[in-house]
Amino acid sequence: DIVMTQSPDSLAVSLGERATINCKSSQSVLYSSDNKNYLGWYQQKPGQPPKLLIYWASTRESGVPDRFSGSGSGTDFTLTISSLQAEDVAVYYCQQYFSTYTFGQGTKLEIK
Amino acid sequence: QVQLVQSGSELKKPGASVKVSCKASGSRFTGYAMNWVRQAPGQGLEWMGWINTNTGNPTYAQGFTGRFVFSLDTSVSTAYLQISSLKAEDTAVYYCASGGNCSSASCDEGYFDSWGQGTLVTVSS
């Protein structure tokens, strides 16, 4: 199975500042035949289901604010929130869908 | 995009069974994989497996064989998760989520673009 490891486990950022969450996969999730990274990012607020933010590592889901962006390829990926808003407090998960599915352990984002 | 609505919370005794439903609307019910994801209290997300909405063929992740059964009733656009011989460690929120395209033969992996609201199953004597 592909293991997904996120860093850090928790993060405190001031309002308006940049937040960066990293995700590393134990093997590449880049599919050579279509040159796509099979990697998604989800946001989960307390008491709510996860919400898809980013798919194919860098494509923003419809309706997701443009302060959220995804980058990376192969085994190393990053979710960036360019200017943290109060409503962004949540736990963020990466997920690989290259070979069945596995999620990272989650990163808890709080306001400093 | 499909909308998914799950059944309500359940309180069960150890050894009992539970059946969680996930009703789809807003889009056709077939053609994709319905996935099940478990989230234990205060823990992360764990993929349990999927069911092919074209064929009803289930695929179970490691650790979710034997006591866990996925099924469909296409006449009411509903997927089900049944757990038998419940244990305290089955206490969790269970989510259904659509993701991945399916043919009559198999399903491909895909991101989870729609999620149910979750069903809390509590197992306690």
Side-chain angles (χ1 to χ4, degrees), chain A residues 63-102:
Chain A
V64 172
D66 60 7
R67 63 180 180 274
F68 291 90
S69 63
S71 62
S73 184
T75 61
D76 292 279
F77 301 91
T78 300
L79 174 70
T80 301
I81 307 171
S82 59
S83 176
L84 189 71
Q85 305 299 303
E87 61 265 32
D88 300 335
V89 169
V91 179
Y92 293 83
Y93 295 93
C94 61
Q95 177 207 38
Q96 66 80 20
Y97 47 97
F98 181 87
S99 174
T100 61
Y101 301 97
T102 44

Side-chain angles (χ1 to χ4, degrees), chain B residues 17-62:
Chain B
S17 295
V18 68
K19 193 169 187 176
V20 176
S21 67
C22 171
K23 184 172 177 60
S25 63
S27 179
R28 65 190 186 119
F29 184 60
T30 55
Y32 57 87
M34 186 68 81
N35 298 271
W36 290 94
V37 175
R38 181 172 76 177
Q39 187 168 39
Q43 301 301 309
L45 304 170
E46 187 174 18
W47 180 68
M48 301 172 65
W50 70 41
I51 186 164
N52 184 327
T53 57
N54 285 332
T55 65
N57 184 42
T59 297
Y60 300 97
Q62 275 189 339

Side-chain angles (χ1 to χ4, degrees), chain A residues 1 38 42 44 48-52 55-56 61 93 95 97-101 103 105, chain B residues 1 35 39 43-45 47 50 62 95 99-100 108-113 115-117:
Chain A
D1 287 4
Y38 283 53
Y42 299 82
Q44 187 178 32
Q48 295 185 20
K51 173 189 173 184
L52 177 67
Y55 55 94
W56 303 131
E61 172 72 327
Y93 295 93
Q95 177 207 38
Y97 47 97
F98 181 87
S99 174
T100 61
Y101 301 97
F103 293 90
Q105 80 275 19
Chain B
Q1 205 174 50
N35 298 271
Q39 187 168 39
Q43 301 301 309
L45 304 170
W47 180 68
W50 70 41
Q62 275 189 339
Y95 294 101
D108 295 326
E109 287 85 347
Y111 48 85
F112 296 175
D113 54 0
W115 293 69
Q117 82 277 19

Side-chain angles (χ1 to χ4, degrees), chain B:
Chain B
Q1 205 174 50
V2 67
Q3 286 82 49
L4 303 174
V5 178
Q6 297 183 226
S7 50
S9 297
E10 301 269 8
L11 174 60
K12 295 291 184 180
K13 294 190 183 302
S17 295
V18 68
K19 193 169 187 176
V20 176
S21 67
C22 171
K23 184 172 177 60
S25 63
S27 179
R28 65 190 186 119
F29 184 60
T30 55
Y32 57 87
M34 186 68 81
N35 298 271
W36 290 94
V37 175
R38 181 172 76 177
Q39 187 168 39
Q43 301 301 309
L45 304 170
E46 187 174 18
W47 180 68
M48 301 172 65
W50 70 41
I51 186 164
N52 184 327
T53 57
N54 285 332
T55 65
N57 184 42
T59 297
Y60 300 97
Q62 275 189 339
F64 294 100
T65 57
R67 298 189 300 117
F68 300 84
V69 176
F70 307 147
S71 62
L72 299 174
D73 184 342
T74 55
S75 68
V76 290
S77 301
T78 301
Y80 300 95
L81 162 65
Q82 183 161 1
I83 311 171
S84 59
S85 302
L86 282 163
K87 307 173 183 180
E89 51 264 42
D90 294 322
T91 295
V93 175
Y94 293 85
Y95 294 101
C96 58
S98 62
N101 296 317
C102 293
S103 67
S104 59
S106 63
C107 296
D108 295 326
E109 287 85 347
Y111 48 85
F112 296 175
D113 54 0
S114 291
W115 293 69
Q117 82 277 19
T119 297
L120 173 62
V121 175
T122 303
V123 183
S124 175
S125 54

